[in-house]
Amino acid sequence: MDMLRSDASTPPARALAGMGDHPSGVSLFAAIAVALYQRERTGRGTVVGSSLLANGIWSNGIMAQAALCGATFTPRPPREKSFNALGCYYHCRDGRWLLLAIVNEQRDWPIVAKCLGLDNLIDDPRFAKQAGRFARSAELIAMFDAAFAKRDRDEWRVLLDDAGIVFECVAEMGDLSADRQMLDAGVLVPFENDAMLTIDSPFFVDGADKVRPRKAPAVGEHSDQILREIGYDETVIAKLRESRIVA
């Protein structure tokens, strides 16, 4: 939470629901798979376990290990004072955000400047070299802010994509169901016999088809079926329902 704050002056970020539960579930799955393999090889079963605490620190392992090795962490500056304008996020005209993630600055600096209508900066001695852009990053970010504010995010998406610029849109949850990559990659799949989408398990096994996800049953949906299987006849089941013993 502390490391995710937008800058040192803002409150810590709030955690999302399930940020610890899902990694813990994956860890338990891995532990169970290892235990099954051990049983197959040795004939002996075992007990496996994990915890939210263990998975929380594992998920943040890069920064946590750095701290354990004595690293010093510099407070994150406000977005407007980021050290690199080509690795910063920007507010578009429609209120949506996108993040530039340009690594090859020597190649992409002239391209992104043209995309933003800032051709005059390409050979400007203040910004032509990376060292100058770093030294004057706040000035450059202010210019980029003014440029990005002139178009909606999806307009920028097309323009930057066509130019081969590395960036990403800051998605909102409402964007999820129409995310082309999520759908094409099978990350989002429909429930069995339903058009509603759900999130598929995050791993694949070559040659093994996944079971189609099914919706959880409604309360009492299978009560009659289960009662019949354990020997109750229709008269008794009707009485159980009438007395509200069974939902």
Side-chain angles (χ1 to χ4, degrees):
M1 288 176 162
D2 178 62
M3 298 299 293
L4 285 173
R5 66 176 80 206
S6 60
D7 64 75
S9 66
T10 60
R14 293 183 180 181
L16 293 176
M19 287 181 72
D21 300 312
H22 280 183
S24 297
V26 174
S27 291
L28 279 173
F29 173 82
I32 291 167
V34 170
L36 290 172
Y37 181 71
Q38 175 182 295
R39 187 184 67 180
E40 180 183 319
R41 297 300 297 267
T42 68
R44 296 191 303 272
T46 189
V47 175
V48 301
S50 189
S51 72
L52 286 168
L53 180 65
N55 283 279
I57 199 69
W58 178 262
S59 298
N60 193 27
I62 294 174
M63 305 304 280
Q65 188 61 57
L68 293 171
C69 292
T72 299
F73 297 93
T74 303
R76 184 176 292 179
R79 183 199 69 86
E80 298 79 7
K81 297 180 180 178
S82 176
F83 77 93
N84 187 4
L86 300 187
C88 193
Y89 51 96
Y90 293 97
H91 207 203
C92 303
R93 182 174 60 187
D94 57 353
R96 308 297 296 273
W97 291 86
L98 59 79
L99 171 68
L100 291 181
I102 297 173
V103 176
N104 191 340
E105 291 196 19
Q106 183 175 353
R107 181 193 65 195
D108 291 340
W109 160 244
I111 301 173
V112 74
K114 287 180 180 178
C115 287
L116 295 174
L118 298 173
D119 309 54
N120 59 306
L121 299 183
I122 295 174
D123 297 318
D124 187 317
R126 297 174 299 167
F127 305 110
K129 302 293 184 182
Q130 185 183 63
R133 292 192 292 271
F134 282 8
R136 296 175 174 270
S137 62
E139 293 178 50
L140 193 55
I141 288 171
M143 295 177 192
F144 277 25
D145 279 341
F148 276 111
K150 294 177 181 179
R151 296 175 185 263
D152 292 348
R153 187 202 62 180
D154 287 344
E155 294 179 65
W156 285 117
R157 170 184 276 171
V158 173
L159 196 155
L160 296 173
D161 264 338
D162 289 346
I165 294 299
V166 181
F167 75 100
E168 187 51 88
C169 295
V170 179
E172 297 179 0
M173 287 302 174
D175 300 330
L176 192 60
S177 62
D179 189 298
R180 195 70 258 160
Q181 184 177 7
M182 294 277 193
L183 296 167
D184 290 346
V187 175
L188 301 179
V189 293
F191 282 106
E192 187 176 53
N193 302 318
D194 201 301
M196 181 181 289
L197 294 171
T198 188
I199 302 163
D200 204 359
S201 55
F203 59 88
F204 308 87
V205 178
D206 191 30
D209 294 331
K210 291 187 180 184
V211 174
R212 289 288 300 278
R214 298 182 296 273
K215 286 186 176 181
V219 175
E221 181 177 340
H222 299 123
S223 295
D224 288 5
Q225 176 186 338
I226 293 168
L227 290 169
R228 291 188 196 101
E229 288 176 359
I230 60 178
Y232 289 95
D233 61 28
E234 299 301 322
T235 302
V236 174
I237 292 174
K239 288 182 179 179
L240 290 172
R241 284 196 174 280
E242 185 178 346
S243 61
R244 297 185 179 181
I245 294 173
V246 173

